[in-house]
Amino acid sequence: RGFFPNSGGRVDEGRGRGAGHSINVPLRRGASDGSFIRAFTAVANRAVAAFAPDAVVVQCGSDGLGADPHKVFNLTTDAFAQSVGAVLAWGQPTLLLGGGGYSNADCARCWARLTAVACGSDIPPETDIPEHAFLNDYAPGFDMQTDAMLVEDENTATYLDSIIQAISSSFASRG
């Protein structure tokens, strides 16, 4: 069961005309950058091979960041930046969408970094936040760093292998 009711299962693959055109990777609580990148890379590369898209839309909801008040995942902006960088490397027209996230400062950090990656650059975590009316929201570091928390990653290697294999099998059945 996912963060939102009635979503999040591996078999959630779209409905109606969209059936078979959605992919859901049901990561467990505490997903770290390593778990996220492992699952994303394996599934996304197989999806591109299976679907051969003309364009890609990426919804970059930052509620997976470690400091998000809902504390479902435990990501830093590194996971987002690596994922978006991988998508952009496919060379397809790409639309990046913001969304999600309940820490305004961390959402801004994440989306600023993803904008930089989309423009062919990056923003190092130690980069200071410029002076502005909401600077105090970026305490205590006042920089671009987003930290993972001390949360157990419930996504074991065995679990990740099983969902990657199951999703990969569903691609084979579509062909």
Side-chain angles (χ1 to χ4, degrees):
R1 195 147 174 90
F3 180 68
F4 294 102
N6 302 314
S7 70
R10 193 203 59 76
V11 296
D12 292 344
E13 296 180 345
R15 294 184 201 145
R17 292 184 0 191
H21 293 86
S22 297
I23 303 162
N24 195 35
V25 182
L27 295 177
R28 292 178 174 163
R29 289 192 163 279
S32 65
D33 285 0
S35 292
F36 184 89
I37 292 297
R38 180 176 173 192
F40 177 84
T41 301
V43 171
N45 287 335
R46 288 178 175 117
V48 167
F51 289 106
D54 294 324
V56 179
V57 179
V58 183
Q59 201 282 330
C60 304
S62 59
D63 45 6
L65 291 169
D68 190 84
H70 292 286
K71 305 212 183 306
V72 176
F73 287 176
N74 196 25
L75 306 176
T76 70
T77 58
D78 291 342
F80 288 84
Q82 287 178 45
S83 299
V84 166
V87 170
L88 295 172
W90 297 334
Q92 297 295 85
T94 303
L95 175 63
L96 301 176
L97 305 173
Y102 300 89
S103 166
N104 291 341
D106 280 351
C107 287
R109 287 177 170 112
C110 187
W111 297 336
R113 186 165 183 196
L114 295 182
T115 300
V117 169
C119 291
S121 187
D122 200 350
I123 301 174
E126 64 275 3
T127 302
D128 288 337
I129 301 293
E131 290 278 338
H132 68 291
F134 301 101
L135 183 62
N136 287 338
D137 293 350
Y138 294 83
F142 301 100
D143 58 22
M144 291 294 292
Q145 181 69 41
T146 58
D147 296 318
M149 302 291 126
L150 295 175
V151 175
E152 179 184 1
D153 183 346
E154 296 177 11
N155 297 279
T156 64
T158 301
Y159 177 72
L160 290 172
D161 289 343
S162 72
I163 61 172
I164 290 167
Q165 179 57 42
I167 293 167
S168 297
S169 296
S170 74
F171 292 153
S173 68
R174 292 179 185 154

